[in-house]
């Protein structure tokens, strides 16, 4: 069933066709499940991406196990990524909780809230972690060479470079992340929101 075509018919008939209303509600609900499944799958890709980095950082800790400062930096990254991953995984697990046709609208609204919340969490995580990543990134080369943190952070040129990088890179990184999320999720979130509005009007 083309739900948008059927919707136009219902609109033109002022909802007098009760049978069509029932059919369109079922169609909206079923179609929303497909949209939600796509959103959930794409959120899973993010989580797998995080797991990949956790594996990479853990391997780095094993490789540099004799250099305590390198291990400390990598451990900081592991903790940061683990926190982000756990928060996203909780939203992932909360998605797609189908309570049956009687609660179709609640089901749709719940999943819309969960995916938007997940992307909001990722944004907050990025704002928090990007400065840490930049600072530790500047430190990594030095600690690999055996320098300590006191020596690295006592260099004014390094501190200025860190500050400038934070000011310049973070807005760019957040913009790029926002554009990527909009490309991957925006269309489906808009579709889900539109279906929720349709379901509210039909109900």
């Amino acid at each position: 069933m083309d739900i948008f075509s059927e919707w136009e018919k219902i609109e033109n008939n002022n909802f007098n066709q009760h049978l069509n209303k029932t059919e369109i509600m079922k169609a909206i609900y079923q179609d929303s499940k497909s949209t939600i499944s796509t959103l959930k799958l794409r959120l899973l890709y993010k989580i797998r991406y995080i797991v990949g980095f956790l594996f990479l950082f853990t391997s780095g800790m094993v490789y540099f196990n004799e250099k305590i400062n390198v291990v400390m930096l990598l451990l900081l990254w592991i903790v940061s990524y683990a926190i982000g991953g756990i928060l996203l995984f909780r939203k992932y697990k909360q998605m797609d909780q189908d309570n049956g046709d009687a609660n179709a609208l609640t089901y749709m609204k719940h999943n819309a809230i969960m995916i938007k919340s997940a992307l909001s969490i990722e944004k907050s995580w990025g704002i928090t972690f990007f400065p840490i990543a930049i600072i530790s990134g500047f430190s990594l080369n030095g600690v690999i060479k055996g320098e300590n943190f006191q020596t690295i952070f006592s260099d004014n040129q390094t501190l200025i470079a860190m500050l400038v990088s934070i000011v310049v890179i973070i807005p760019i990184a957040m913009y790029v992340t926002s554009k990527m999320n909009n490309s991957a999720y925006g269309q489906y979130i808009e579709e889900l929101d539109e279906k929720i509005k349709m379901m509210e009007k039909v109900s």
Side-chain angles (χ1 to χ4, degrees), residues 12-26:
N12 293 334
N13 287 278
N14 298 317
F15 303 109
N16 287 328
Q17 299 181 32
H18 178 72
L19 179 60
N20 280 355
K21 284 176 59 177
T22 302
E23 291 176 353
I24 195 69
M25 288 177 68
K26 290 181 179 179

Side-chain angles (χ1 to χ4, degrees), residues 111-148:
N111 283 280
I113 291 171
M114 289 300 103
I115 189 63
K116 291 174 185 178
S117 178
L119 296 180
S120 178
I121 286 172
E122 182 190 39
K123 181 178 180 180
S124 298
W125 176 86
I127 292 173
T128 303
F129 177 70
F130 283 158
I132 296 174
I134 291 171
I135 293 171
S136 56
F138 271 95
S139 306
L140 184 60
N141 187 52
V143 295
I144 288 177
K145 293 179 180 179
E147 298 179 16
N148 57 45

Side-chain angles (χ1 to χ4, degrees), residues 23-179:
E23 291 176 353
I24 195 69
M25 288 177 68
K26 290 181 179 179
I28 294 171
Y29 173 65
Q30 292 299 326
D31 203 46
S32 72
K33 292 179 71 173
S34 175
T35 303
I36 290 165
S37 294
T38 300
L39 288 168
K40 187 176 181 181
L41 179 61
R42 296 196 174 200
L43 182 57
L44 179 61
Y45 292 157
K46 281 186 180 292
I47 296 169
R48 287 176 175 173
Y49 183 75
I50 290 173
V51 171
F53 271 102
L54 288 173
F55 177 78
L56 180 65
F57 297 150
T58 302
S59 299
M61 285 183 63
V62 173
Y63 183 80
F64 292 106
N65 66 90
E66 295 182 356
K67 297 185 176 182
I68 187 61
N69 288 334
V70 178
V71 171
M72 289 174 62
L73 282 180
L74 292 173
L75 183 60
L76 176 63
W77 291 356
I78 288 172
V79 171
S80 298
Y81 268 75
I83 290 172
I86 290 170
L87 293 174
L88 290 184
F89 185 72
R90 288 180 62 188
K91 296 300 177 182
Y92 170 81
K93 292 294 290 183
Q94 291 171 354
M95 287 188 69
D96 203 24
Q97 295 180 357
D98 187 353
N99 295 318
D101 290 356
N103 296 311
L105 184 56
T106 300
Y107 159 83
M108 293 162 67
K109 287 183 175 180
H110 168 79
N111 283 280
I113 291 171
M114 289 300 103
I115 189 63
K116 291 174 185 178
S117 178
L119 296 180
S120 178
I121 286 172
E122 182 190 39
K123 181 178 180 180
S124 298
W125 176 86
I127 292 173
T128 303
F129 177 70
F130 283 158
I132 296 174
I134 291 171
I135 293 171
S136 56
F138 271 95
S139 306
L140 184 60
N141 187 52
V143 295
I144 288 177
K145 293 179 180 179
E147 298 179 16
N148 57 45
F149 291 115
Q150 184 177 356
T151 301
I152 294 170
F153 288 107
S154 64
D155 184 347
N156 289 333
Q157 289 186 339
T158 300
L159 291 176
I160 292 172
M162 288 180 183
L163 180 60
V164 171
S165 297
I166 289 172
V167 172
V168 173
I169 293 175
I170 289 181
I172 294 175
M174 297 306 297
Y175 174 78
V176 171
T177 300
S178 178
K179 294 293 287 185

